[in-house]
Amino acid sequence: AHTPVSMMLARGQVRSCSVQTPRQPHFINPCSHRVLPVPRALTSDSVAADIQAAEASGDWLTAFERITEARITQLQLSQESLEAGVRTLAKGGQWQRSVDMLTRLLDEGLAPTILQPTITTVFMALSQAQQGAQAESLLLVLSQSGVEPSLLGPAGNISMRCGARAPGGAVLAYHKLELLVTNAGKADQLQVDLDTFSAVSYELMKQGEEDKAEEVLEWRDFLSESD
C-alpha cells in the first residue's frame, strides 16, 4: 500500500522541503580573509571616498582593502587617494605597509609631488615602532628619489631622535649633529630642531657620554642665539 507523505515525514523518511531565499554571493577578501558580501562596482570616486572616510576614522584595514582591490581590478587611483592610504596605514601602526606603499609611489616617479604630511606621518610611525635603521634608510631613499630637501626636515629630525634611542645610536647622532653644525647655513643641509639637540643630549647622558651631551647642548644654545 502507498504510504502517505505525511506518515513518511512523521517517520523521518522524508526531509521537509522548504523554499529558501537564495543566498547573496560572497567573496573572500585576500587581505583579511574575511567573508564579505560582493561589493558595489568599484570606481575611482567610490574608492577615494572610502579611503578618505577610513583616514578620518582611523580605519587602516578598510583603506588597505580598498587600495588592494583597486590594484587587483587595475583601477587607477589618484595620488591624493594613495597618499591618504599611506597616512592611514602609518597612523594605524602599520609602518611596514605604509613604507611599502610610499616606496611604490617613489617607484612610479611621484617623488617631487609627495606631500610633506605624508612623509612626516610615516616617520612618526617608524619612530613609535623604534625602527631607527628603517627610518634612516627611508630618508636616504627619499633624498635620492628627488624629494625636495625642504620637505624632509621634519622626517630628518624624527629619524635622528629615533636613531639616538637605539643602543649606541646616541654617539652616531652626535657625529651627525657635529657635521650638520659645521655645515650650518648650507641650503641642502638638514635644519635641526632645537628639540632634536635636547633629545640627542638626553640619550648621550643615558649612555654615559656626559662630555658629548654637554657639547650638544652648547651647539643648541649657540644656534638658538644665532637665530
Side-chain angles (χ1 to χ4, degrees):
H2 177 71
T3 303
V5 173
S6 59
M7 294 182 64
M8 295 175 66
L9 285 172
R11 297 173 184 173
Q13 295 175 315
V14 175
R15 295 182 179 179
S16 175
C17 301
S18 59
V19 178
Q20 297 183 350
T21 303
R23 294 182 178 180
Q24 183 182 6
H26 288 74
F27 79 107
I28 298 178
N29 187 287
C31 305
S32 63
H33 303 292
R34 293 186 297 174
V35 178
L36 303 172
V38 172
R40 64 188 185 281
L42 294 178
T43 66
S44 297
D45 290 341
S46 68
V47 172
D50 287 346
I51 295 174
Q52 184 178 10
E55 182 179 18
S57 64
D59 185 1
W60 70 265
L61 183 56
T62 293
F64 185 63
E65 287 176 344
R66 293 297 176 268
I67 291 172
T68 301
E69 291 164 1
R71 286 177 180 161
I72 291 173
T73 58
Q74 298 183 342
L75 183 68
Q76 294 296 321
L77 297 179
S78 68
Q79 181 177 342
E80 181 182 2
S81 296
L82 292 172
E83 287 198 45
V86 171
R87 292 191 299 270
T88 306
L89 289 169
K91 292 175 184 177
Q94 302 297 306
W95 65 266
Q96 184 64 69
R97 288 190 171 105
S98 68
V99 168
D100 291 344
M101 192 174 296
L102 181 59
T103 303
R104 185 186 292 264
L105 292 178
L106 299 178
D107 292 340
E108 294 174 358
L110 299 176
T113 55
I114 292 177
L115 299 177
Q116 187 181 68
T118 301
I119 297 172
T120 303
T121 302
V122 172
F123 276 83
M124 290 177 64
L126 289 171
S127 178
Q128 291 171 358
Q130 299 184 8
Q131 295 294 325
Q134 181 71 53
E136 186 71 19
S137 176
L138 180 58
L139 187 65
L140 180 61
V141 170
L142 289 168
S143 178
Q144 294 176 342
S145 298
V147 176
E148 288 293 330
S150 60
L151 300 181
L152 296 178
N157 280 275
I158 293 170
S159 177
M160 187 171 296
R161 293 195 295 267
C162 181
R165 293 197 298 268
V171 174
L172 292 176
Y174 164 84
H175 290 300
K176 291 177 184 177
L177 283 176
E178 184 178 31
L179 182 61
L180 290 170
V181 169
T182 302
N183 297 315
K186 292 186 177 181
D188 59 345
Q189 291 295 311
L190 171 68
Q191 300 300 309
V192 184
D193 297 337
L194 298 181
D195 289 344
T196 299
F197 285 102
S198 301
V200 172
S201 176
Y202 174 72
E203 294 300 330
L204 285 167
M205 291 289 290
K206 287 172 57 179
Q207 297 178 22
E209 298 286 351
E210 289 84 0
D211 292 342
K212 289 184 174 60
E214 291 179 5
E215 193 172 3
V216 169
L217 293 179
E218 290 176 1
W219 295 339
R220 181 198 64 184
D221 295 340
F222 172 77
L223 293 177
S224 178
E225 293 173 359
S226 300
D227 293 340

